[in-house]
Amino acid sequence: MTKALAGVRILDFTHVQSGPTCTQLLAWFGADVIKVERSGEGDATRGQLRDIPNVDSLYFTMLNHNKRSITLNTKTAGGREVLDALIRHCDVLVENFAPGALDRMGVTWEHIQKTNPRMILASVKGFGPGPYEDCKVYENVAQCAGGAASTTGWEDGLPMVTGAQIGDSGTGLHLALGIVTALYQRSQTGRGQKVLAPMQDAVLNLCRVKLRDQQRLERTHTLHEYPQYPDGKFGDAVPRSGNASGGGQPGSILKCKGWETDPNAYIYFITQAAVWPAICTVIGEPEWIEDEAYATPQARLLHLKPIFRRIEQWTMTKDKIEAMDILNKLDIPCGPILSMKELAHDPSLRASGAVVEVDHPTRGKYLTVGNPIKLSDSPTEVTRSPLLGEHTDEVLTQLGYAAGDIERLRSQGVL
């Protein structure tokens, strides 16, 4: 079965997380991703956070599946010659260097267009055009600059970054969509173009509901679904709201049986209006169904804290999976707080391909995430990440280099 992006060639100049997330996703869909690395070193993450000495780290392997690796010294004349051949050969160049680095290498947009007018240049940068566009950005900086940290955490606590990599991996996902869109447009115009995904913009896009709330706050000076309502005060910016849902259906994280010793014995519980009678019945408060203090969503907003305290008295009598089973049968929205250990060993996630076991020649078997996007006619096969420079000879042969030329380049320190 033909892969969705079969025939698309990606020149991968990315490193660490944001760019490799993008190119790995394209590789999962069948693109030929050629990862360019420095000889002897490679992507910095090959050696970061190692759990096995002298073996590629999980940080690297889990972001570079389905790719080919070549080593290339682009500072040499021979390296520039090979790079130009790669630009002519490929459809997309993806990079997440520091601002201006590609230009300093001599790989300007003008040079790329002259070498291959059909090439798409896709870049991750920390910020878009503006006062900070020359600044380096990492995951937590992006979360802070994009609005996530200021709106995450407890109302009386510090700003908080999330464990989800919305800055790096989130931006990589945005960039992948931009690349596929540009490839589609190229099929109509025949021309390449630049694709930019600033990390600040990507995080802000994921925080759009908070931008929604900022405008509501400026107009009404209150946000009824936030825990500060009705007793607390609102300032002039969207506050942190703990575990409130941030939507029209109030929700909270509640303790379940075993919470005293298990840090993840909790469930997220949503008091959806449509199932309020069922909620009252299951927790043993049927009189609340008709009580005017609780009967309508608007009335319940004034009593959310005591409501959730009462619901928690019920959830503390059940373990989180037992509570979920009971509540789901009543169509009450909820979800268990699942640890990474529970997710790693969940058989349904293994069966669906959300978690995949991969065999590596030096690391052995390890778990990784699979493609989160499923196509019915193009199933994803997750293959191992490449060893450093593993495909150098193979790729150069495809570019037309003879074996003797490859050996000459290697002796000159190009490869």
Side-chain angles (χ1 to χ4, degrees):
M1 188 175 294
T2 302
K3 297 290 185 180
L5 294 181
V8 175
R9 300 185 182 117
I10 308 293
L11 182 53
D12 185 358
F13 262 102
T14 71
H15 58 287
V16 192
Q17 185 178 166
S18 60
T21 295
C22 167
T23 52
Q24 178 172 260
L25 189 62
L26 300 174
W28 279 339
F29 285 129
D32 178 15
V33 176
I34 303 170
K35 186 176 180 72
V36 180
E37 302 185 74
R38 289 177 294 179
S39 179
E41 299 180 46
D43 190 316
T45 59
R46 284 187 184 269
Q48 288 181 357
L49 306 176
R50 276 184 171 140
D51 57 317
I52 303 175
N54 303 315
V55 170
D56 287 339
S57 71
L58 288 167
Y59 197 2
F60 176 84
T61 59
M62 293 176 68
L63 285 161
N64 291 282
H65 294 110
N66 296 58
K67 303 178 184 180
R68 297 194 288 170
S69 169
I70 69 168
T71 54
L72 185 64
N73 183 353
T74 59
K75 295 180 180 179
T76 64
R80 288 299 306 276
E81 172 193 312
V82 173
L83 177 56
D84 283 350
L86 285 165
I87 291 172
R88 286 190 292 270
H89 177 73
C90 293
D91 300 286
V92 186
L93 190 159
V94 189
E95 61 92 17
N96 62 331
F97 292 124
L102 207 61
D103 288 347
R104 290 191 292 272
M105 290 171 56
V107 189
T108 63
W109 174 235
E110 291 72 24
H111 177 77
I112 291 171
Q113 283 190 306
K114 182 179 178 181
T115 307
N116 180 359
R118 289 175 55 81
M119 173 160 272
I120 292 159
L121 172 60
S123 302
V124 169
K125 291 293 175 278
F127 295 93
Y132 307 116
E133 62 183 307
D134 293 329
C135 296
K136 280 187 177 180
V137 171
Y138 294 88
E139 171 66 44
N140 287 357
V141 175
Q143 289 195 31
C144 293
S150 71
T151 55
T152 303
W154 297 104
E155 54 191 288
D156 57 352
L158 293 172
M160 187 74 66
V161 297
T162 174
Q165 304 291 283
I166 62 175
D168 276 324
S169 288
T171 304
L173 292 168
H174 281 81
L175 187 66
L177 175 59
I179 289 169
V180 172
T181 303
L183 284 168
Y184 177 81
Q185 188 170 20
R186 191 185 71 174
S187 70
Q188 315 299 313
T189 67
R191 299 193 307 273
Q193 61 181 300
K194 291 192 286 186
V195 179
L196 173 65
M199 295 173 72
Q200 181 188 43
D201 296 21
V203 173
L204 179 58
N205 183 43
L206 297 173
C207 292
R208 67 179 69 182
V209 297
K210 300 300 182 179
L211 185 59
R212 172 204 68 189
D213 292 347
Q214 179 63 36
Q215 295 171 88
R216 294 170 56 226
L217 179 64
E218 290 174 1
R219 183 167 289 112
T220 66
H221 310 292
T222 186
L223 296 167
H224 288 184
E225 74 282 5
Y226 277 59
Q228 289 82 353
Y229 178 83
D231 304 319
K233 293 183 179 180
F234 287 90
D236 60 1
V238 173
R240 292 180 276 285
S241 57
N243 289 317
S245 69
Q249 309 293 339
S252 185
I253 290 179
L254 306 177
K255 298 172 183 174
C256 290
K257 182 188 290 185
W259 67 272
E260 299 92 340
T261 56
D262 181 355
N264 296 296
Y266 293 84
I267 193 169
Y268 197 89
F269 192 109
I270 296 175
T271 56
Q272 186 181 32
V275 291
W276 177 245
I279 293 171
C280 296
T281 300
V282 79
I283 66 172
E285 299 288 351
E287 67 277 7
W288 282 4
I289 298 172
E290 302 297 335
D291 190 327
E292 63 180 27
Y294 302 100
T296 67
Q298 193 65 30
R300 289 194 290 275
L301 289 175
L302 297 171
H303 308 285
L304 284 181
K305 291 176 183 177
I307 286 172
F308 280 120
R309 280 197 296 269
R310 177 63 186 92
I311 296 172
E312 189 173 57
Q313 291 176 1
W314 178 82
T315 59
M316 289 172 65
T317 67
K318 316 291 180 185
D319 69 48
K320 61 188 179 186
I321 302 302
E322 181 185 7
M324 182 179 167
D325 288 342
I326 294 170
L327 297 171
N328 278 340
K329 290 174 182 175
L330 299 171
D331 289 330
I332 298 171
C334 63
I337 308 305
L338 296 177
S339 69
M340 294 310 301
K341 180 178 180 180
E342 289 170 306
L343 292 168
H345 297 283
D346 187 324
S348 66
L349 295 179
R350 300 286 188 98
S352 70
V355 175
V356 180
E357 187 175 75
V358 178
D359 200 3
H360 189 275
T362 59
R363 160 170 289 282
K365 292 183 178 180
Y366 66 94
L367 294 181
T368 187
V369 294
N371 190 345
I373 304 168
K374 318 297 184 187
L375 300 184
S376 63
D377 286 353
S378 183
T380 298
E381 178 188 5
V382 178
T383 61
R384 68 168 176 85
S385 60
L387 301 175
L388 179 59
E390 181 177 351
H391 303 95
T392 300
D393 289 12
E394 177 181 284
V395 170
L396 264 62
T397 299
Q398 290 177 340
L399 294 177
Y401 286 85
D405 295 328
I406 295 173
E407 286 307 311
R408 173 179 55 81
L409 292 172
R410 183 167 282 114
S411 68
Q412 295 172 348
V414 173
L415 308 178

